[in-house]
Amino acid sequence: MLQELIVALIVVVALLQVCRRYLPATLRQRIVYALARKGFDQERMAKLFKTQSSCGDGCGSCGSCETKTAADAPQDTKAVRRVITLHVQR
């Protein structure tokens, strides 16, 4: 019985590690928000999932819900290119 509990605890910790490392940030934020709605501490869950605690709850502190007006839009309309560096090992 004790061995099964220890194995279950190890599996839960491994799942948490995979979630916080490999899930996209938006999905981690949704998980934190869902757990906060179920009664868990949002600050603590945000630390566990390495995300901001205020995203998804509509508080307006992160600015992601705000719409940009024409005055706030950047003057330069060129697309920004991101370069992904590949390291080839031969």
Side-chain angles (χ1 to χ4, degrees), residues 4 11 26 36 38 44-45 74 87:
E4 293 173 357
V11 169
T26 55
K38 296 290 182 183
R44 188 172 291 164
M45 292 295 113
H87 301 283

Side-chain angles (χ1 to χ4, degrees), residues 46-64:
K47 285 182 182 179
L48 283 175
F49 285 97
K50 293 184 179 179
T51 185
Q52 296 176 352
S53 64
S54 62
C55 292
D57 63 355
C59 67
S61 65
C62 64
S64 64

